[in-house]
Amino acid sequence: MRRYGNIFANVDWATILIYLALVFVGWINIYAAVYSEEHHSIFDISQRYGKQLMWIGFAFILALVILMLEGHFFTSFAYPIYGVIMFSLIAVLLLGVKVNGATSWFQIGSIKIQPSEFAKFATVLALSKYLSGLSIRMQDFKTKVYAIAIIVLPALLILLQNDTGSTLVYAAFVLVLYREGLSGNILLFGILAIIVFVLTLLFGPFNIIITAAYAYIIIYTLLKFNVKATLVSLLLFSGLVFVFFNYELSQNLIYYGLGMLLFFLIAFLATRKEMKGKRSHYLGVGIFVVACLYIYSIDFTFNKVLKEHQRTRITVLLGEEDKLIEQIENLKLQRDVEGISAEKKQQIRDDIGAKRYSLRELRQGNGWNIKQSLIAIGSGGFTGKGFLDGTQTKFDFVPEQSTDFIFCTIGEEWGFMGTFVLVVLYIAIFLRLIFLAERQRSIFSRIYGYSVAAILFFHFLINIGMTIGLAPVIGIPLPFISYGGSSLWSFTILLFIFIKLDSERLNVLR
Amino acid sequence: MNNLSNRKFIVGLIFLAVGVIFAIRLFSVQVLNDEYKVDSDQNVLREIIQYPARGLVYDRNGELLVYNEAAYDLMVIPKQVKKIDTLAFCKLLEIDTAEYREKFTKARDYSSYKPSSFVKEISSISYANIQEQLFKYPGFFVQTRTLRKYPRNSAAHILGYIGEVNQSTIDDKPYYRSGDYIGKSGLEYSYENLLRGQRGVKRILVDVHNREKGSYKDGATDTMAVTGIAIKTTLDILLQEYGELLMQNKKGSIVAIEPKTGEILALVSAPNYDPNMLVGRAVKKNYPVLSQDSLNPLFNRALMAQYPPGSIFKTVQALIGMQQGVITENSGFSCIKSYVNCHNHPSAGNVAASVKMSCNPYYYSVFKRILMQGRSKSIFKDSELGLGVWAKQVKKFGFGQRLATDLPGIKRGNVPGVDFYNKWYGEGRWAFSTIYSLSIGQGEVEVIPLQMANLATIIANKGYYYAPHLIKEIDKTDTIPSIYRKKNDVGIDKKYFDPILEGMYGVVYEPGGTARRARIHDSIVVCGKTGTAQNPHGEDHSVFIAFAPKDNPEIAIAVYVENAGFGGTWAAPIASLMIEKYMADTISTKNLAKEKRILDANLMNVIPKK
Ligand SMILES: [Zn+2]
């Protein structure tokens, strides 16, 4: 064991270089985002770029300190660190100050610290420690329960702070658990559920069920290599759909039930001979029923359970302005019908009010933000407008342009060349991290490495997805780039602990 | 374990897939798609709104009632404001620095890059001053718009006022944007779509550093504001002003209609206010004063006040009685005061005499015959069946429904029908004896002054009316809404109107008539009917409806004066003066004393009768 070696011995320079590149890209774009002709010194700490420079300096010091520590320190203190951070998450609920509606900041003098940022690496440490324990097998029920508890506890505490974005980040751990042996079906189901959710909201439950039914018949019968059965059941089912569409009963629940019943009968008859065991047959039909129920529950959840602003985030994403206008017009017609009861009238009025709120949000709130964000990015073209020559971000058309929407400034001033290079840099660091994680001899280090990759990836996915209109508006920072001390430090700590662990991979066997 | 190790490829693939999807999306947004580039160009344009002048409003003789005056708003785009000499600027605007800071903060809170108004309605004199110096203050510019002006200071309730649109209107109607003006009441509201015109826009290119670079595409995309369409109203502004003068220091209203067309000649609601009070910046100060005034000057009594009609309603009862055949024009009933109270007079031997003397027991008997025609053996059921038929007929006169006039806020009044009394007393628990006060226009029946004038119109026309309206001509078209060209028949034969006319003539000219004060002079023959509506809260209300001349009537009128006692005393002379003014333009010397008596009268603070 080399106790007193060079602190940079065996560190992975590729990762560090990408890290430095991302931090640099972040700083110059923060400079561009808040640039105006009157300010000159880049060290002006009344400006965001001056402050960010200070925080970058401190982040580097943090990185050096971590590299000087022994990797052993983190494995030994994983649980205490987790405990302290969980405690601070509870404390911030009681003593914290509110910023943008979230009670997630400690204020000490003029400095504000967000403990939820540090909860990420603490959770990663605790999870790695637990899963790398002797006699721990992912297949065990108990293991799953404990692992999920370690992840869900900070997520819940952060949700209580009213910070939805930071809470969602904890979903990233699914990838880590998957690598460690969680069934792949869970991952697959998750992705499928999201796809079906979006499709249902776009096309309505009826169309999705019809489509799903077709897919079911085709896959189910073709798997048994019986083309005749496939054709017959498709024909019958199409006839059914045609008849019911002509009766324009698609809003009627009784019709749904009837249609479904007939469909099952046909599916059952069509596939009866081909199925070897009756059990698998019932299982197929059973899964289909559950899927249909899920599709209805989406409709129900969306309209009855979600709050208006949550709904808006999704409708904004789906670009449903015209649909909303039409709904408002329809409601107005209902309202003006003579002789409806006062209660009913009031209910319709409330509905109209809620819809109007959505519309306003769509035009001026989140919807407006996304549109402006796309305009800023799109106006960059292939080569960009040039450093400091962006117009959209200068004029404040894009909100939060140095924090959550920093990607707009990059897109506008550096064009597709810039954004493409940035995406490549991120993917490179993610893949590099997996590569490093896989070469670890210690399970702890491997799990830790995967967690770093997963968390950074999730931030990348949501943040850039939001600015280019592929994900709902959820305010989380772009790692190493967005303005802000807490997030930069938290990502730096997260990454450099892994770099340290990796540099010692040959010395230790944990 | 080997199996799990392969999962690194899956995770890696997910990362790569997202990277590829993002790259494709970015390529499509940034390189392939032109849509966002166009939008981006527009964003560096500054749009200067060209507000249209609203349409002018004239009276029936072409007198100008509403026009526009230029006003200047100083606008600010906070983001563009540089370090300026605040002190000099405040001096120029005649505000202090605290006010400056407050206004600036407010503008910045709204938006730092969208223009908002800084000082509204700068006078043209200070405008000239400010305009000269404005180049020193980047971020500020002047926006021209127009204000409404009312040269005649009258007809406020009819003309209405305009104000800034509110959020729900912006949501509902795609045309409107924040800062636009919209008609809030009166004709400004009803004919908003004609009067408002079309907003224009001028686009100026601004570079990253906020310097103006000339007009966008040489002005090819600029649009001119289109002035609103002018309208001519049916109002006779001289008559309107005279009516307002007569009603000074009184509460009530006057409505005058041209019977052959349904055109409203005058529509007075007293007390009223000067329409110029609700213009522009003054609204903020004046509106609360007006709306809290205990005399309620914003309330348009002619359309919104619902009163019992009193004895003028007897004409309706007589007409229905004759039409249903339960009386003839020669039916006589004795004045039996035990039925219902009456004044001393000889018993009326026919319909005309009953109208002239306004005998209450006569109409008690007429109404009893109308209701109880023996359709059922039960007196309750019989009354119910009778009332059903009666109410339907009364509604044909325009009572108990919103007349299709072109002013907003009009009330229905009330014609109590079977449902009404079933709710009130319970089914089968009321009969003629419960509701007989309807016979003389008391009890639950309520009408608005416009409906009273409409009744005068119907009698003058012997059986029909056009919905009373204020629109006479719309510029650039040769038509008015079809609803005002539709003849409404009230379902009473023309011949039954003759005894009513005779009675109403008698009211004014014959001994025993109740409104001899309504006489003008020999050349203008007036027919009228007085009414006195009992008022449980104070002195009775004074009512008079009339039309003139008797043959081929040119004006029908209703006058309602609150707390003024007997109808013949105040309402009748006011009506006669209005008719004379309209028919002869001036008041003859003979009637000047009558005019003076009205003008001097103050009925505002009549001590309530106990
Ligand atoms: Zn009598």
Side-chain angles (χ1 to χ4, degrees), chain B residues 334-337 341-346 357-362:
Chain B
S334 341
C335 180
I336 302 165
K337 293 195 178 92
N341 198 19
C342 202
H343 53 103
N344 289 321
H345 64 91
M357 294 180 291
S358 197
C359 176
N360 289 341
Y362 186 96

Side-chain angles (χ1 to χ4, degrees), chain B residues 482-501:
Chain B
S482 59
I483 192 161
Y484 303 131
R485 287 181 281 118
K486 179 179 162 258
K487 197 170 179 176
N488 298 284
D489 194 274
V490 300
I492 304 280
D493 296 348
K494 203 174 170 192
K495 60 180 178 200
Y496 296 127
F497 284 90
D498 291 333
I500 305 293
L501 251 69

Side-chain angles (χ1 to χ4, degrees), chain A residues 255-448:
Chain A
Y255 152 67
Y256 274 130
L258 198 71
M260 210 68 74
L261 212 69
L262 279 169
F263 164 66
F264 283 132
L265 203 67
I266 291 164
F268 185 83
L269 291 173
T271 56
R272 188 176 38 139
K273 279 182 201 160
E274 330 315 315
M275 306 307 293
K276 281 180 189 138
K278 287 216 161 172
R279 202 165 150 254
S280 60
H281 190 93
Y282 290 130
L283 189 71
V285 175
I287 288 173
F288 187 80
V289 173
V290 172
C292 290
L293 287 177
Y294 171 67
I295 289 166
Y296 279 112
S297 77
I298 291 169
D299 210 38
F300 179 80
T301 312
F302 187 73
N303 289 314
K304 308 276 178 205
V305 181
L306 288 187
K307 295 203 182 91
E308 191 58 39
H309 70 270
Q310 292 166 322
R311 250 201 306 268
T312 308
R313 282 184 180 169
I314 295 165
T315 44
V316 164
L317 185 65
L318 301 176
E320 296 210 311
E321 187 172 346
D322 292 340
K323 219 170 177 179
L324 269 176
I325 293 174
E326 196 189 309
Q327 284 170 350
I328 291 175
E329 288 308 314
N330 280 339
L331 282 171
K332 273 199 255 167
L333 289 180
Q334 287 175 31
R335 177 194 61 191
D336 296 337
V337 169
E338 291 261 337
I340 58 168
S341 74
E343 274 166 51
K344 179 84 187 151
K345 207 163 195 162
Q346 189 55 44
Q347 195 195 327
I348 294 175
R349 276 206 199 100
D350 292 346
D351 281 358
I352 293 177
K355 294 266 186 280
R356 273 193 191 138
Y357 171 84
S358 292
L359 200 60
R360 223 163 20 242
E361 230 354 63
L362 214 56
R363 286 173 177 163
Q364 292 159 12
N366 284 333
W368 196 80
N369 289 349
I370 288 187
K371 191 170 169 229
Q372 295 305 323
S373 161
L374 278 170
I375 289 169
I377 294 171
S379 70
F382 189 73
T383 53
K385 294 179 184 165
F387 184 50
L388 301 184
D389 284 334
T391 50
Q392 302 310 298
T393 44
K394 289 287 135 37
F395 281 139
D396 281 358
F397 285 115
V398 179
E400 311 277 341
Q401 73 270 39
S402 61
T403 56
D404 295 344
F405 280 88
I406 185 86
F407 191 72
C408 297
T409 311
I410 301 172
E412 189 184 10
E413 298 194 347
W414 303 95
F416 179 69
M417 311 238 282
T419 55
F420 184 73
V421 168
L422 192 71
V423 169
V424 169
L425 277 177
Y426 272 114
I427 301 300
I429 200 172
F430 300 154
L431 295 178
R432 182 76 194 164
L433 286 170
I434 300 182
F435 172 76
L436 297 183
E438 288 291 343
R439 76 180 184 187
Q440 302 302 313
R441 286 200 249 161
S442 117
I443 297 174
F444 179 92
S445 302
R446 185 180 70 217
I447 296 171
Y448 190 95

